[in-house]
Coordinates of all heavy atoms in Angstrom, one line a residue:
G336 N -51.9 -29.8 42.8 CA -52.3 -30.2 41.4 C -52.7 -29.1 40.5 O -52.2 -29.1 39.3
I337 N -53.5 -28.2 41.0 CA -54.0 -27.1 40.1 C -52.8 -26.2 39.7 O -52.7 -25.8 38.5 CB -55.1 -26.3 40.8 CG1 -56.4 -27.2 40.9 CG2 -55.4 -25.0 40.1 CD1 -57.5 -26.6 41.7
L338 N -52.0 -25.8 40.7 CA -50.9 -24.8 40.4 C -49.9 -25.5 39.5 O -49.4 -24.9 38.6 CB -50.3 -24.3 41.7 CG -51.1 -23.4 42.5 CD1 -50.4 -22.9 43.8 CD2 -51.6 -22.2 41.7
S339 N -49.6 -26.8 39.8 CA -48.7 -27.5 38.9 C -49.2 -27.6 37.5 O -48.5 -27.4 36.5 CB -48.4 -28.9 39.5 OG -47.6 -29.6 38.6
A340 N -50.5 -27.9 37.4 CA -51.2 -28.0 36.0 C -51.1 -26.7 35.3 O -50.9 -26.7 34.1 CB -52.6 -28.5 36.2
V341 N -51.3 -25.6 36.0 CA -51.3 -24.3 35.3 C -49.9 -24.0 34.8 O -49.7 -23.6 33.6 CB -51.7 -23.2 36.3 CG1 -51.4 -21.8 35.8 CG2 -53.2 -23.3 36.7
A342 N -48.9 -24.2 35.6 CA -47.5 -24.0 35.2 C -47.1 -24.9 34.0 O -46.5 -24.5 33.0 CB -46.5 -24.1 36.4
L343 N -47.4 -26.2 34.2 CA -47.1 -27.1 33.1 C -47.8 -26.8 31.8 O -47.2 -26.8 30.7 CB -47.4 -28.6 33.5 CG -46.5 -29.2 34.6 CD1 -47.1 -30.5 35.1 CD2 -45.1 -29.5 33.9
G344 N -49.1 -26.4 31.9 CA -49.8 -26.1 30.7 C -49.3 -24.9 30.0 O -49.1 -24.8 28.8
L345 N -49.1 -23.8 30.8 CA -48.6 -22.6 30.2 C -47.2 -22.7 29.6 O -46.9 -22.2 28.5 CB -48.6 -21.4 31.2 CG -50.0 -21.0 31.7 CD1 -49.9 -19.9 32.7 CD2 -50.9 -20.5 30.5
G346 N -46.3 -23.5 30.4 CA -45.0 -23.7 29.9 C -44.9 -24.5 28.6 O -44.2 -24.2 27.6
T347 N -45.8 -25.5 28.5 CA -45.8 -26.3 27.3 C -46.4 -25.6 26.1 O -46.0 -25.7 25.0 CB -46.7 -27.6 27.6 OG1 -46.1 -28.3 28.7 CG2 -46.6 -28.6 26.4
A348 N -47.4 -24.7 26.4 CA -48.0 -23.8 25.4 C -46.9 -22.9 24.8 O -47.0 -22.6 23.6 CB -49.1 -23.0 26.0
M349 N -46.0 -22.5 25.5 CA -44.9 -21.7 25.0 C -44.0 -22.5 24.1 O -43.6 -22.0 23.0 CB -44.0 -21.1 26.1 CG -44.7 -20.1 27.0 SD -43.5 -19.6 28.3 CE -44.7 -18.9 29.5
V350 N -43.8 -23.7 24.5 CA -42.8 -24.5 23.8 C -43.3 -25.2 22.5 O -42.6 -25.2 21.4 CB -42.3 -25.6 24.7 CG1 -41.5 -26.7 24.0 CG2 -41.5 -25.0 25.9
Y351 N -44.5 -25.7 22.5 CA -45.0 -26.6 21.5 C -45.0 -26.0 20.1 O -44.4 -26.5 19.1 CB -46.3 -27.2 21.8 CG -46.3 -28.7 22.0 CD1 -45.5 -29.3 22.9 CD2 -47.1 -29.5 21.1 CE1 -45.5 -30.7 23.0 CE2 -47.1 -30.8 21.2 CZ -46.3 -31.4 22.2 OH -46.3 -32.8 22.3
P352 N -45.7 -24.9 19.9 CA -45.8 -24.3 18.5 C -44.4 -23.7 18.1 O -44.1 -23.7 16.9 CB -46.9 -23.2 18.6 CG -46.9 -22.9 20.0 CD -46.6 -24.1 20.8
A353 N -43.7 -23.2 19.0 CA -42.4 -22.6 18.7 C -41.4 -23.6 18.2 O -40.6 -23.4 17.3 CB -41.8 -21.9 19.9
L354 N -41.4 -24.8 18.8 CA -40.5 -25.9 18.4 C -40.9 -26.4 17.0 O -40.0 -26.5 16.1 CB -40.6 -27.1 19.4 CG -39.8 -26.9 20.7 CD1 -40.1 -28.1 21.6 CD2 -38.3 -26.9 20.4
I355 N -42.2 -26.6 16.7 CA -42.5 -27.0 15.3 C -42.2 -26.0 14.3 O -41.7 -26.3 13.2 CB -44.0 -27.4 15.3 CG1 -44.4 -28.6 16.2 CG2 -44.5 -27.7 13.9 CD1 -45.8 -28.9 16.3
A356 N -42.5 -24.7 14.7 CA -42.2 -23.6 13.7 C -40.7 -23.5 13.5 O -40.2 -23.2 12.4 CB -42.7 -22.3 14.3
S357 N -39.9 -23.7 14.6 CA -38.4 -23.6 14.5 C -37.9 -24.7 13.5 O -37.0 -24.4 12.7 CB -37.8 -23.7 15.8 OG -36.4 -23.7 15.7
V358 N -38.4 -25.9 13.7 CA -38.0 -27.0 12.8 C -38.4 -26.6 11.3 O -37.6 -26.8 10.4 CB -38.6 -28.3 13.2 CG1 -38.3 -29.4 12.2 CG2 -38.1 -28.8 14.6
S359 N -39.6 -26.1 11.1 CA -40.0 -25.7 9.8 C -39.1 -24.7 9.2 O -38.8 -24.7 8.0 CB -41.5 -25.3 9.8 OG -42.4 -26.3 10.2
D360 N -38.7 -23.7 10.0 CA -37.9 -22.6 9.6 C -36.5 -23.1 9.1 O -36.0 -22.6 8.1 CB -37.6 -21.6 10.7 CG -38.8 -20.9 11.2 OD1 -39.8 -20.9 10.5 OD2 -38.7 -20.3 12.3
H361 N -36.0 -24.1 9.8 CA -34.6 -24.6 9.4 C -34.6 -25.7 8.4 O -33.5 -26.1 8.0 CB -33.9 -25.1 10.7 CG -33.5 -24.0 11.6 ND1 -34.3 -23.4 12.5 CD2 -32.3 -23.3 11.7 CE1 -33.6 -22.4 13.2 NE2 -32.4 -22.4 12.7
A362 N -35.8 -26.2 8.0 CA -35.8 -27.3 7.0 C -36.3 -26.7 5.6 O -37.3 -26.0 5.6 CB -36.8 -28.3 7.5
H363 N -35.6 -27.1 4.6 CA -36.0 -26.7 3.2 C -37.4 -27.4 2.9 O -37.6 -28.6 3.4 CB -35.0 -27.2 2.2 CG -35.2 -26.6 0.9 ND1 -36.1 -27.2 0.0 CD2 -34.6 -25.6 0.2 CE1 -36.0 -26.5 -1.2 NE2 -35.1 -25.5 -1.0
P364 N -38.3 -26.8 2.2 CA -39.6 -27.4 1.9 C -39.4 -28.8 1.2 O -40.3 -29.6 1.4 CB -40.2 -26.4 0.9 CG -39.7 -25.1 1.3 CD -38.2 -25.4 1.7
A365 N -38.3 -29.1 0.5 CA -38.2 -30.3 -0.1 C -38.0 -31.5 0.9 O -38.3 -32.6 0.6 CB -36.9 -30.3 -1.1
W366 N -37.5 -31.2 2.1 CA -37.3 -32.3 3.1 C -38.0 -31.9 4.4 O -37.7 -32.5 5.4 CB -35.9 -32.6 3.3 CG -34.9 -31.5 3.5 CD1 -34.2 -30.8 2.6 CD2 -34.4 -31.1 4.8 NE1 -33.4 -29.9 3.2 CE2 -33.5 -30.0 4.5 CE3 -34.7 -31.4 6.1 CZ2 -32.8 -29.3 5.6 CZ3 -34.0 -30.7 7.1 CH2 -33.1 -29.7 6.8
R367 N -38.9 -30.9 4.4 CA -39.5 -30.4 5.6 C -40.4 -31.5 6.3 O -40.4 -31.7 7.5 CB -40.3 -29.2 5.4 CG -40.9 -28.6 6.7 CD -41.6 -27.3 6.4 NE -42.8 -27.5 5.5 CZ -43.3 -26.6 4.7 NH1 -42.7 -25.4 4.5 NH2 -44.3 -26.9 3.9
A368 N -41.1 -32.3 5.4 CA -42.0 -33.3 6.0 C -41.2 -34.3 6.7 O -41.6 -34.8 7.8 CB -42.9 -33.9 4.9
N369 N -40.0 -34.7 6.2 CA -39.1 -35.7 6.8 C -38.5 -35.1 8.1 O -38.3 -35.8 9.1 CB -38.0 -36.1 5.9 CG -38.5 -37.2 4.9 OD1 -39.4 -38.0 5.2 ND2 -38.0 -37.1 3.7
A370 N -38.2 -33.8 8.1 CA -37.6 -33.1 9.3 C -38.7 -33.1 10.4 O -38.4 -33.3 11.5 CB -37.2 -31.7 8.9
L371 N -39.9 -32.7 10.0 CA -41.0 -32.7 11.0 C -41.3 -34.1 11.5 O -41.5 -34.3 12.7 CB -42.2 -32.1 10.4 CG -42.2 -30.5 10.2 CD1 -43.4 -30.1 9.4 CD2 -42.2 -29.8 11.6
G372 N -41.2 -35.1 10.7 CA -41.4 -36.4 11.1 C -40.3 -36.9 12.1 O -40.6 -37.6 13.1
T373 N -39.1 -36.5 11.8 CA -38.0 -36.8 12.7 C -38.1 -36.1 14.0 O -37.9 -36.7 15.1 CB -36.6 -36.5 12.0 OG1 -36.5 -37.2 10.8 CG2 -35.5 -36.8 12.9
Y374 N -38.4 -34.8 14.0 CA -38.6 -34.1 15.2 C -39.7 -34.7 16.0 O -39.6 -34.9 17.3 CB -38.9 -32.6 14.9 CG -39.6 -31.9 16.1 CD1 -38.9 -31.6 17.2 CD2 -41.0 -31.7 16.1 CE1 -39.5 -31.0 18.3 CE2 -41.6 -31.1 17.2 CZ -40.9 -30.8 18.3 OH -41.5 -30.2 19.4
R375 N -40.8 -35.0 15.4 CA -42.0 -35.6 16.1 C -41.6 -37.0 16.6 O -42.2 -37.5 17.6 CB -43.2 -35.6 15.2 CG -43.8 -34.2 15.0 CD -44.8 -34.1 13.9 NE -46.0 -35.0 14.2 CZ -47.0 -34.6 15.0 NH1 -47.0 -33.4 15.5 NH2 -48.0 -35.4 15.2
F376 N -40.7 -37.7 15.9 CA -40.3 -39.0 16.4 C -39.6 -38.8 17.7 O -39.9 -39.5 18.7 CB -39.3 -39.6 15.4 CG -38.5 -40.8 15.9 CD1 -39.0 -42.0 16.0 CD2 -37.2 -40.6 16.3 CE1 -38.2 -43.1 16.5 CE2 -36.4 -41.6 16.8 CZ -36.9 -42.9 16.9
W377 N -38.6 -37.9 17.8 CA -37.9 -37.7 19.0 C -38.8 -37.1 20.1 O -38.7 -37.5 21.3 CB -36.7 -36.8 18.8 CG -35.6 -37.4 18.1 CD1 -35.1 -37.0 16.8 CD2 -34.8 -38.6 18.5 NE1 -34.1 -37.9 16.4 CE2 -33.9 -38.8 17.4 CE3 -34.8 -39.4 19.6 CZ2 -33.0 -39.9 17.5 CZ3 -33.9 -40.4 19.7 CH2 -33.0 -40.7 18.6
R378 N -39.7 -36.2 19.7 CA -40.6 -35.7 20.7 C -41.5 -36.8 21.4 O -41.6 -36.8 22.6 CB -41.5 -34.6 20.0 CG -42.3 -33.8 21.0 CD -43.3 -32.9 20.3 NE -44.4 -33.8 19.7 CZ -45.4 -33.3 19.0 NH1 -45.4 -32.0 18.6 NH2 -46.3 -34.1 18.5
D379 N -42.0 -37.6 20.5 CA -43.0 -38.6 21.1 C -42.3 -39.9 21.6 O -42.9 -40.6 22.4 CB -44.0 -39.0 20.0 CG -45.0 -37.8 19.8 OD1 -45.1 -36.9 20.7 OD2 -45.6 -37.7 18.7
I380 N -41.0 -40.1 21.3 CA -40.2 -41.0 22.1 C -40.2 -40.6 23.6 O -40.1 -41.5 24.5 CB -38.8 -41.1 21.6 CG1 -38.7 -42.0 20.3 CG2 -37.8 -41.6 22.6 CD1 -38.8 -43.5 20.6
G381 N -40.4 -39.3 23.8 CA -40.4 -38.8 25.2 C -41.5 -39.4 26.0 O -41.4 -39.6 27.2
Y382 N -42.7 -39.7 25.4 CA -43.8 -40.4 26.1 C -43.3 -41.7 26.7 O -43.5 -42.0 27.8 CB -45.0 -40.7 25.2 CG -45.8 -39.5 24.9 CD1 -46.1 -39.1 23.6 CD2 -46.4 -38.7 25.9 CE1 -46.9 -38.0 23.3 CE2 -47.2 -37.6 25.7 CZ -47.4 -37.3 24.4 OH -48.2 -36.2 24.1
A383 N -42.7 -42.5 25.8 CA -42.2 -43.8 26.2 C -41.0 -43.7 27.2 O -41.0 -44.4 28.3 CB -41.7 -44.6 25.0
A384 N -40.1 -42.7 27.0 CA -39.0 -42.5 27.9 C -39.5 -42.0 29.3 O -39.1 -42.5 30.3 CB -38.0 -41.5 27.3
G385 N -40.5 -41.2 29.3 CA -41.1 -40.7 30.5 C -41.8 -41.8 31.3 O -41.6 -41.9 32.5
A386 N -42.5 -42.6 30.6 CA -43.2 -43.7 31.3 C -42.1 -44.7 31.8 O -42.3 -45.3 32.9 CB -44.1 -44.4 30.4
L387 N -41.1 -45.0 31.0 CA -40.0 -45.9 31.4 C -39.3 -45.4 32.7 O -39.1 -46.1 33.7 CB -39.0 -46.2 30.3 CG -37.9 -47.2 30.5 CD1 -38.5 -48.5 30.8 CD2 -37.0 -47.2 29.3
V388 N -38.9 -44.1 32.6 CA -38.2 -43.5 33.7 C -39.1 -43.5 34.9 O -38.7 -43.8 36.1 CB -37.8 -42.0 33.3 CG1 -37.3 -41.3 34.6 CG2 -36.6 -42.1 32.3
A389 N -40.4 -43.1 34.7 CA -41.3 -43.1 35.8 C -41.5 -44.4 36.5 O -41.5 -44.5 37.7 CB -42.7 -42.5 35.4
G390 N -41.6 -45.5 35.7 CA -41.8 -46.8 36.2 C -40.6 -47.3 37.0 O -40.7 -47.8 38.1
L391 N -39.4 -47.1 36.4 CA -38.2 -47.5 37.1 C -37.9 -46.8 38.4 O -37.7 -47.3 39.5 CB -37.0 -47.4 36.2 CG -36.9 -48.3 34.9 CD1 -35.8 -47.9 34.0 CD2 -36.7 -49.7 35.4
L392 N -38.0 -45.4 38.3 CA -37.8 -44.6 39.5 C -38.8 -44.8 40.6 O -38.5 -44.8 41.8 CB -37.6 -43.1 39.1 CG -36.4 -42.8 38.3 CD1 -36.3 -41.3 38.0 CD2 -35.1 -43.2 38.9
A393 N -40.1 -44.8 40.1 CA -41.2 -45.0 41.1 C -41.1 -46.3 41.9 O -41.3 -46.3 43.1 CB -42.5 -44.8 40.4

Side-chain angles (χ1 to χ4, degrees):
I337 289 173
L338 291 181
S339 177
V341 169
L343 285 168
L345 294 178
T347 309
M349 295 179 196
V350 167
Y351 241 63
L354 281 173
I355 296 176
S357 180
V358 173
S359 297
D360 293 344
H361 286 83
H363 192 280
W366 50 273
R367 185 176 64 210
N369 282 327
L371 285 170
T373 301
Y374 160 72
R375 289 167 62 83
F376 165 81
W377 288 117
R378 190 190 70 186
D379 289 338
I380 277 286
Y382 283 124
L387 183 61
V388 167
L391 291 172
L392 291 183

